[in-house]
Amino acid sequence: MKRVTERRTYSYLGPAGTFTEAALDQVAEARGQQWRPVHNVGEALADVLEGRSFAAMIAIENSIEGGVSTTQDALATLPGLRIIGEYLVPVNFVLVAPRGTTLDQVQVIAAHPVAYAQCHGWLGAHVPSHSHVPAASNVASAIGVLDGTLPAQAAIAAPGIVNHYDVDVLATDIGDNAQAVTRFVLVTRTTTPPAPTGADKTSLIVELPHDHPGSLLEMLEQFSTRGINLSLIESRPIGDELGRYRFVIDADGHIEHERMADAMLGIRRFSPRVVFLGSYPRADRQIVHYPERYADDVFVEARDWLRGILSGEPAE
């Protein structure tokens, strides 16, 4: 008898045609599986924690807007989650409209406020007298124009919209920054980190123990004295009182590397609360380089040297 393999479910910010869907499409093991569109990050992570989905794709950083605060805060406060991969999606926008619409007929444009803000230059040059109707998402803007629920003739959307809806594309690449990129992470329930590849990143969230001069420097020294580069450090208010912050950190390297493990032990001793989000392959697959004095065997030799002293071994 042929065994039936159960399909895995992956949650993503829907509906179909979003940038998040484009990120999920980069996950080879997710292709051919069940994709579950959700309304927000909280719902996506709840799917994972409550077992409805194996993993969720969520946006965590934008090259223009910075960190996605809702994602950072959710990862800081929801236990039992682990990042297992990251994916980059270029942020390109298209202007779409119902079939037969021409650009000179466009007077009102529907768009998510963030997308609209990233297209000001093009809109000012090509549709200078337009007005803006906010939409809940890029896809919602297109749907609203198509079904008439939004009083607009055109919508700003992600390029993937054309794969799911019958629209005319009035213009492509209308974003003001051609290099804009959104970084997404694939999150599952707590599991062992993927094996090191040499091109890895470790993400964590750290709270400072006390608000005193030099406390942030003391935290950063846990990484710098071990030769670890930080590709992201961003503060978020803890929320219990003014002046208390947690720090979202991306560090180059993997927790199985001796220098990273040593730094994590230092951070654990230093901070009252550390959330390890995961060690996973970098999206750009760039090999992490570091000075030879921070190589793994140097840390191993130093630990063996100390062990020898404590055990009374004669010096060589």
Side-chain angles (χ1 to χ4, degrees):
M1 179 181 294
K2 185 177 180 180
R3 187 175 64 180
V4 177
T5 302
E6 184 179 354
R7 298 171 74 196
R8 282 178 168 175
T9 299
Y10 291 79
S11 294
Y12 74 99
L13 182 63
T18 62
F19 289 115
T20 314
E21 185 191 48
L24 186 56
D25 191 51
Q26 296 182 30
V27 182
E29 57 269 30
R31 294 171 189 157
Q33 304 299 308
Q34 184 71 39
W35 292 12
R36 172 180 161 85
V38 298
H39 298 92
N40 53 60
V41 168
E43 186 180 356
L45 296 180
D47 278 353
V48 173
L49 290 172
E50 295 169 15
R52 288 184 293 273
S53 295
F54 167 74
M57 184 66 76
I58 56 176
I60 197 169
E61 183 184 7
N62 181 273
S63 60
I64 296 176
E65 301 292 330
V68 179
S69 58
T70 53
T71 297
Q72 294 174 339
D73 293 345
L75 292 175
T77 56
L78 294 174
L81 296 169
R82 187 64 48 85
I83 297 173
I84 57 174
E86 71 168 0
Y87 305 87
L88 304 179
V89 177
V91 180
N92 300 318
F93 295 104
V94 294
L95 187 68
V96 298
R99 293 289 186 185
T101 305
T102 58
L103 189 59
D104 59 1
Q105 295 174 324
V106 175
Q107 296 177 327
V108 182
I109 295 174
H112 186 276
V114 173
Y116 182 72
Q118 295 185 32
C119 299
H120 274 168
W122 188 94
L123 294 172
H126 296 86
V127 200
S129 61
H130 78 278
S131 58
H132 170 223
V133 173
S137 69
N138 295 321
V139 176
S141 68
I143 294 175
V145 169
L146 290 174
D147 65 15
T149 56
L150 290 176
Q153 295 80 43
I156 296 173
I161 195 75
V162 300
N163 298 323
H164 303 282
Y165 298 93
D166 186 26
V167 294
D168 272 346
V169 178
L170 304 184
T172 60
D173 297 323
I174 67 173
D176 296 337
N177 189 329
Q179 283 72 48
V181 172
T182 295
R183 174 177 162 238
F184 293 84
V185 290
L186 188 64
V187 179
T188 188
R189 278 167 286 187
T190 299
T191 183
T192 56
T197 66
D200 303 293
K201 179 181 293 185
T202 293
S203 296
L204 61 154
I205 297 175
V206 182
E207 293 183 12
L208 296 181
H210 304 287
D211 183 18
H212 65 267
S215 58
L216 178 57
L217 176 60
E218 291 171 4
M219 181 186 74
L220 297 177
E221 284 177 340
Q222 303 298 324
F223 299 99
S224 63
T225 57
R226 295 167 175 89
I228 297 172
N229 179 61
L230 302 184
S231 55
L232 171 72
I233 177 167
E234 190 164 346
S235 64
R236 290 291 304 153
I238 294 174
D240 54 357
E241 60 181 272
L242 281 174
R244 293 239 306 136
Y245 294 89
R246 59 173 65 99
F247 289 85
V248 183
I249 295 171
D250 286 342
D252 290 346
H254 196 284
I255 195 171
E256 290 189 21
H257 296 156
E258 293 287 341
R259 61 190 176 280
M260 184 67 74
D262 204 50
M264 292 291 290
L265 292 174
I267 285 290
R268 178 63 179 174
R269 291 191 296 267
F270 167 82
S271 172
R273 185 168 185 268
V274 181
V275 179
F276 174 72
L277 297 178
S279 289
Y280 48 89
R282 295 165 55 107
D284 58 15
R285 299 300 189 263
Q286 290 187 9
I287 300 298
V288 177
H289 297 285
Y290 50 89
E292 194 60 35
R293 66 182 181 277
Y294 298 116
D296 274 11
D297 56 2
V298 174
F299 283 86
V300 173
E301 189 279 331
R303 214 169 27 245
D304 289 344
W305 171 79
L306 178 60
R307 190 178 298 113
I309 292 175
L310 295 175
S311 62
E313 296 178 3
E316 295 182 0

